[in-house]
């Protein structure tokens, strides 16, 4: 009987799937080819947009000459320092507001007011205050990244299941232990969501802040390229910005996978 | 079995571990518990029945020290432990760390392992709570309570969310753990059959007071025999559920929880 059922089973032939409708890579590649074709035939002049092949050439040159790595490092430092300040401040404010009513009364209204002012609108003020060096750029990034962290961590702390806190209390955990063992781990997923937002914001603000008369950094590279109409270098910088965004996302994902291993959705993977 | 007069707290010669006198609890204008008296002897297994909203959880929370009772005459042992209806395990701590929650010392893992062994889960020491079934979660929750060697074990409908078969297994487990560790137990339940199967004494909470009391003198394990049915009928009467035909027949494998009070 087992034989007959085994024999009746259809033999699965695993052919490589070449279905055109599933190939998500196809349209981007097609676009690139069209772009290259347009550039070669002169339909797209280089001062409008350089050909993909030219862009790759520029990328290679800039990397070899060390121009790209050194400027990338400057930009990266700006973004990380600003982000670090923003994350620390946002976390501190969220803890103050999240863990006590008095803290909420003191901090939350200010944060809500701050939210109504788009961070980038503060640029002129910061230039007046800090000049055109590194300080206004870093401050701008820090100010912009505070809010996503604050908002998410605050709501995460407030969203922690009170029944778990109560259970911990019933087993004799001190208020400090309740915070470190129940409330903060419970709010960690929200914090990581905030961190991911903040990284995106940091990148966005970096791009704008670097337009402030930078003498180094990716923005400086772009500004120079603009003056010489080097669209190939501009596109290289855009690619690097995109890469930074992807890397930031990857970092948070990795942290999530390690720190939130207990979550049912992540357990299977 | 006999109906002892109210407030005599059966036949205890030892000092009660739980002693509540004239306890009143109100939320706003609604008085939930009013002038309530309760004694529980050391090692006694007491079940608390009552319709939904009668204040069972309120009483249990007071005994657990979760709600303060300032200026009221409530005496409980220092070592208390609660098993909640929802297991309330911390999802970000592995099972053994949940059991050892708040304990200190070098041997906590070994102690947690021993406690989990008693509930038959020593092979799941290092898993995440989210991977446990409902019954397993409740067993972990039991281990977490018992590792503290409580003088008073408070159970708030701990089996209500479990299927009938798992519930019967949990009954056996709770009884064997109770015999071994001998804590006083207060079991809050909706299920009359469960109360009769487990407890030394069944209390009915109504109108904010202990309205009725049945001492169950039947030998354990308890079959759904005529004596069982008689107690059951009386308790259902106290709960205001009349003319329920006895469903569980004598010798039936599973006495279906038709005694559940749904209000
Ligand atoms: N924190 C609270 N604030 C206001 N009212 C409350 C609070 N806790 C309980 N109550 C009220 O007290 C009454 C008793 O509640 P309790 O939870 O003790 O009932 P219960 O007997 O455990 O019910 P159930 O069997 O449904 O669990 C209910 O009417 C409930 O609405
Ligand atoms: Mg209840």
């Amino acid at each position: 009987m087992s034989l007959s059922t085994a024999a009746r089973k259809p033999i699965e032939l695993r052919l490589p799937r070449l279905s055109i409708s599933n190939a998500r890579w196809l349209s981007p590649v097609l676009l690139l080819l069209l772009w290259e074709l347009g550039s070669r035939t002169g339909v797209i002049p280089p001062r409008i947009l350089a050909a993909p092949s030219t862009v790759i050439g520029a990328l290679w040159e800039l990397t070899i000459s060390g121009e790209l790595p050194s400027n990338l490092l400057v930009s990266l430092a700006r973004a990380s320092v600003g982000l670090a300040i923003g994350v620390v401040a946002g976390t501190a404010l969220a803890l103050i507001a999240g863990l006590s009513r008095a803290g909420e009364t003191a901090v939350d209204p200010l944060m809500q007011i701050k939210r109504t002012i788009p961070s980038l609108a503060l640029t002129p003020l910061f230039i007046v205050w800090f000049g055109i060096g590194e300080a206004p750029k870093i401050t701008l990034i820090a100010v912009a990244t505070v809010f996503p962290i604050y908002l998410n961590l605050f709501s995460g702390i407030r969203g922690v299941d009170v029944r778990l806190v109560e259970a911990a209390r019933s087993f004799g955990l001190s208020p400090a232990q309740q915070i470190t063992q129940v409330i903060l781990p419970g709010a960690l997923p929200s914090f990581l969501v905030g961190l991911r937002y903040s990284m995106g914001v940091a990148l966005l603000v970096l791009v704008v802040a670097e337009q402030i008369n930078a003498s180094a950094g990716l923005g400086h590279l772009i500004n120079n390229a603009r003056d010489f109409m080097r669209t190939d270098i501009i596109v290289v910088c855009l690619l690097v910005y995109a890469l930074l965004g992807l890397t930031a996302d990857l970092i948070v994902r990795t942290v999530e996978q390690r720190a939130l291993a207990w979550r049912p959705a992540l357990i299977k993977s | 079995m006999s109906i002892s007069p109210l407030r005599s707290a059966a036949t205890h010669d030892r000092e009660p571990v739980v002693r509540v006198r004239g306890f009143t609890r109100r939320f706003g204008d609604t008085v939930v518990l009013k002038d309530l008296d309760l004694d529980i002897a050391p090692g006694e297994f007491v079940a608390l029945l009552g319709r939904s909203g009668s204040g069972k959880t309120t009483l249990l929370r007071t005994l657990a020290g979760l709600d303060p009772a300032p200026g009221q005459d409530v005496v409980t042992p220092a070592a208390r432990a609660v098993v909640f209806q929802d297991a309330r395990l911390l999802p970000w701590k592995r099972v053994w760390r949940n059991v050892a929650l708040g304990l200190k010392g070098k041997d906590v893992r070994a102690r947690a392992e021993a406690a989990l062994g008693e509930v038959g889960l020593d092979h799941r020491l290092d898993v995440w709570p989210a991977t446990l079934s409902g019954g397993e979660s409740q067993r972990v929750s039991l281990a977490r309570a018992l590792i503290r060697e409580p003088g008073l074990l408070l159970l708030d409908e701990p089996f209500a969310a479990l299927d009938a078969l798992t519930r019967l297994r949990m009954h056996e487990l709770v009884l064997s753990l109770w015999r071994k560790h001998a804590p006083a137990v207060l079991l809050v339940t909706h299920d009359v059959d469960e109360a009769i199967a487990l407890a030394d004494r069944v209390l009915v909470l109504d109108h904010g007071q202990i309205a009725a009391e049945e001492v169950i003198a039947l030998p354990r394990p308890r079959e759904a025999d005529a004596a069982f049915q008689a107690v059951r009928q009386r308790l259902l009467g106290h709960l205001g559920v009349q003319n329920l035909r006895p469903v569980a027949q004598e010798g039936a494998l599973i006495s279906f929880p038709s005694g559940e009070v749904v209000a």
Side-chain angles (χ1 to χ4, degrees), chain B residues 185-243:
Chain B
V185 178
L186 181 71
L187 167 72
V188 167
T189 176
H190 271 124
D191 185 345
V192 177
D193 292 332
E194 180 171 282
I196 304 171
L198 297 177
D200 295 322
R201 191 155 58 100
V202 181
L203 307 175
V204 177
L205 188 60
D206 199 17
H207 292 106
Q209 298 201 320
I210 305 297
E213 180 184 66
E214 287 278 342
V215 174
I216 318 283
L218 303 170
R220 295 183 181 89
R222 290 170 180 160
E223 302 288 334
D225 57 12
F228 191 108
Q229 291 301 342
V231 186
R232 188 168 180 276
Q233 287 301 319
R234 277 203 300 279
L235 281 170
L236 288 173
H238 292 314
L239 288 160
V241 186
Q242 262 105 30
N243 302 325

Side-chain angles (χ1 to χ4, degrees), chain A residues 94-150:
Chain A
L95 289 179
I96 294 169
L99 294 176
S100 78
R101 289 279 162 212
E104 183 184 357
T105 315
V107 171
D108 201 54
L110 296 177
M111 293 305 287
Q112 297 303 333
I113 290 170
K114 195 230 145 244
R115 180 161 78 144
T116 59
I117 307 168
S119 301
L120 289 175
L122 295 170
T123 314
L125 206 54
F126 286 171
I127 293 179
V128 171
W129 290 351
F130 305 116
I132 50 170
E134 289 301 293
K137 301 179 180 64
I138 290 175
T139 313
L140 211 53
I141 295 172
V143 165
T145 49
V146 164
F147 200 75
I149 289 284
Y150 170 80

Side-chain angles (χ1 to χ4, degrees), chain A residues 160-173 177 180-187 259 261-264 267, chain B residues 61 64-67 80-84 86 88-94 101-102 104 128-131 141 144-145 148:
Chain A
V160 168
D161 193 344
V162 287
R163 295 170 312 156
L164 292 181
V165 182
E166 186 173 75
R169 186 155 58 90
S170 86
F171 290 115
L173 266 65
Q177 284 174 316
T180 56
Q181 298 194 35
V182 185
I183 295 176
L184 294 186
W262 48 269
R263 286 215 297 200
I267 280 168
Chain B
R61 289 175 56 86
L66 288 172
D67 290 339
R80 297 163 288 192
V82 191
V83 175
F84 301 93
D86 43 342
R88 300 198 192 183
L89 304 176
L90 300 178
W92 44 84
K93 284 184 183 286
R94 294 185 189 273
L101 191 69
K104 290 187 195 72
W128 298 113
T131 62
S141 186
R144 180 175 63 176
R148 283 144 231 278

Side-chain angles (χ1 to χ4, degrees), chain B residues 94-126:
Chain B
R94 294 185 189 273
V95 161
W96 80 266
R97 287 201 181 274
N98 262 288
V99 172
L101 191 69
L103 300 181
K104 290 187 195 72
K106 270 186 196 154
D107 58 339
V108 281
R109 190 183 155 102
R111 282 169 64 198
E113 187 170 3
L116 281 164
E118 286 189 45
V119 298
L121 282 175
D122 41 350
H123 58 293
R124 310 220 55 186
L125 234 55
D126 286 310

Side-chain angles (χ1 to χ4, degrees), chain B residues 238-254:
Chain B
H238 292 314
L239 288 160
V241 186
Q242 262 105 30
N243 302 325
L244 260 187
R245 63 198 167 79
V247 185
Q249 296 302 313
E250 206 169 324
L253 179 64
I254 303 163

